[in-house]
Amino acid sequence: MADGKEKSADSASAEMIDRAVREGISTGCSRAESLKPCPIGVEESCCKICSMGPCRLPRSKTGETSRRAGVCGATVDTIVARNFARKVAGGSASHSDHAREVALTFLMAAQGKAQDFTIKDEMKLFEVALDFGINIEKRDVKEIAVELGEKALSEFGKQSGELIFTGKAPLRRQELWRKQNVMPRGIDREVVEVMHRTHMGVDQDYRHILQQATRAALADGWGGSMISTELQDIMFGTPVPVLGSINLGVLKEDHVNIVVHGHEPLLPEMLVVASRDPVIKQSVERSGAKGINLAGMCCSANEVLMRHGIPCAGNFLQQELALVTGAVELMTVDVQCQMQGLANVAECFHTKLITTSDRAMIQGAEHIEFHPEKGLDTAKRILTMAIENYPNRRGPVCIPAEKQDMIAGFSHETITYLLGGLFRASYRPLNDNIANGRIRGVAGVVGCNNVRTRHDADHLAMIRELIKNDVLVLTTGCSAMACGKAGLLTPEAAGQHAGKGLAEVCETIGIPPVLHMGSCVDNSRILIAATAIVKEGGLGEDLSDLPVAGAAPEWMSEKAIAIGHYFVASGIFTVFGTTWPTLGSENVTRHLFEEYEDMYKGMWAFEPDPVKAAHLMIAHIDKKRKALGIDKARERVLYDMAMRRAME
Ligand code: NFS
């Protein structure tokens, strides 16, 4: 196998990839070498929706889309659109089922049935209650919270009408959604309808299938994901900038290391509380360890980092590598992005792998189910297991030295405050700096790692190119963690990497040029921030008027497709890297890449080269600046031929 440095741009990961190879431990990297992607599946021109197939309709050698049809007569357009829509449904379902769990816990907390959970941010409770049309005057906090919990839960099963949070979008956008008939109803309903319409022999017009995919994606972005973020903020506190550290070097040889991996912050929040318990502290002392070291992995990491400054061990492709250090006593996983391969790696060491959600078990892992009403007890039980496992370490522990400081916690509320100050909190300074050209535009760069690209490399290449060109970057998920490891989430990064205009603004306010806004459900924070820019005035009347763009250069999950699709349907140009799942159909690709611009004023693009992709985003930002009449404020950039071709 190629050496670790070729697989990862992060030297700590490279070191652990090499260790795994030396010791014959299977990881995502080694499995990817022996498993090449299927060339037909990669273009999604394979239908396995019924058992008369699978029907494979590859493009001809000359690159043309096949004119053949599946056994039932389904064209390649229908097949590709169905596969795409099902990806959106899978992603929306994941974010939204997470949201449901949060809403259920929120309601139990409000009713006093989950004593370990409380309302930490009353101000946000009142704001969100008002969004939901709840009367907050002369009412008890608990009463308001109960009503909010009930109303939030009823958003999932709403059979008609519009999701309440869509009312937060600019009015123009809401009108456009109604005109295109994609205003989302209940979240569950939209996902179920995608599954129904894409069943054998139902919806067989690719445009009509994609319309429903759009409605399901909007139910995620302006429904499920937003409900998660808002209720989590109320329960656990709205993030404010916090200093944290990241990379495998956060693990400590002389501590009991516990890695919390997954997505729902409910158990991780309780683990944080339990780790401070005096009884737990005493048992750590007895074990001979110097203390407990909690570290996060994937989006759970982002959640506990943003609210408590708990260190991050790493992003998606580091989950197995954290165990390869031999220093992890216990890893908890709940839902999403957890590789089944973890069980095998854990077995090679003393590590206990614990599944905690009633929706996800892994063969070979131990299952300790988390229930909100006894959250703290479960957390203590898990910590005790980890402490008892500390003396069982086998073989040499090998923790890479890399550990990087970073600032996270840029919620939409924080950005308002940082820009305008406590007494005149507003987006005005940001809008002014966009209008005067110091900030050329804003990009949301988000999403996963993908083993088919060099770990972290594309995120970093794209983001460095954007900030060099004065584009302020908002980031979440595994992309945010890639930035953290590379030192881009520090205020000093502005002077080192940002263009003159952006650096000036960042240095004045004291913020990094790349703002960590949280986990993947927190992409809803980016929607709210973009809406706040519109509402501040002077930069158009809809999200699609803004000089902004989105990207996921190393995406791999269905959730990333759902996110990208709600960004696009919200009017934002969005470019994905690695691979693109509609290449099997020219019509579907044209629909999403071109016709969507007319319909939604936002569209998809695919560009695997991250620097070229950054320039597609910059070109889009410049196009929007021109339309707003603010292009004169900045010098024009001369594009070379290669860049122009990439833009066409
Ligand atoms: Ni998002 Fe977070 Fe990471 Fe991708 Fe997975 S952890 S929810 S899906 S891999 S960014």
Side-chain angles (χ1 to χ4, degrees), residues 123-137 144 148 151 164-165 168 234:
M123 202 51 145
K124 186 137 188 181
L125 169 71
F126 300 147
E127 279 167 24
V128 178
L130 288 175
D131 287 336
F132 271 78
I134 296 169
N135 173 25
I136 60 169
E137 267 175 61
I144 298 170
L148 176 58
K151 287 212 159 127
I164 287 167
F165 277 149
K168 284 168 90 86
I234 298 171

Side-chain angles (χ1 to χ4, degrees), residues 76-124:
V76 77
D77 300 336
T78 298
I79 291 169
V80 169
R82 284 202 293 226
N83 290 341
F84 184 84
R86 285 193 165 200
K87 280 196 190 329
V88 171
S92 301
S94 306
H95 288 140
S96 301
D97 209 37
H98 164 170
R100 184 198 325 276
E101 204 60 26
V102 171
L104 284 166
T105 306
F106 180 89
L107 182 58
M108 287 175 77
Q111 291 166 333
K113 291 181 191 161
Q115 306 273 351
D116 304 328
F117 294 89
T118 50
I119 303 292
K120 285 228 178 78
D121 189 339
E122 288 188 7
M123 202 51 145
K124 186 137 188 181

Side-chain angles (χ1 to χ4, degrees), residues 95 261-263 297-300 302 315-316 336-337 446-449 476-479 481 519-521 523 555-557 559-560 563:
H95 288 140
H261 175 20
H263 284 78
M297 179 66 64
C298 283
C299 283
S300 287
N302 288 327
N315 54 3
F316 177 68
Q336 303 167 21
C337 303
V446 306
C448 327
N449 297 135
T476 60
C478 291
S479 182
M481 290 187 258
S519 64
C520 281
V521 291
N523 283 316
W555 79 279
M556 63 89 201
S557 77
K559 288 181 289 175
I563 293 165

Side-chain angles (χ1 to χ4, degrees), residues 252-257 287-290 329 350 385-393:
K252 295 180 181 166
E253 182 154 5
D254 52 8
H255 277 58
V256 175
N257 291 301
S287 76
K290 293 228 169 84
E329 273 57 59
H350 70 306
M385 276 177 80
I387 296 164
E388 286 168 358
N389 199 25
Y390 179 72
N392 300 333
R393 285 191 188 171

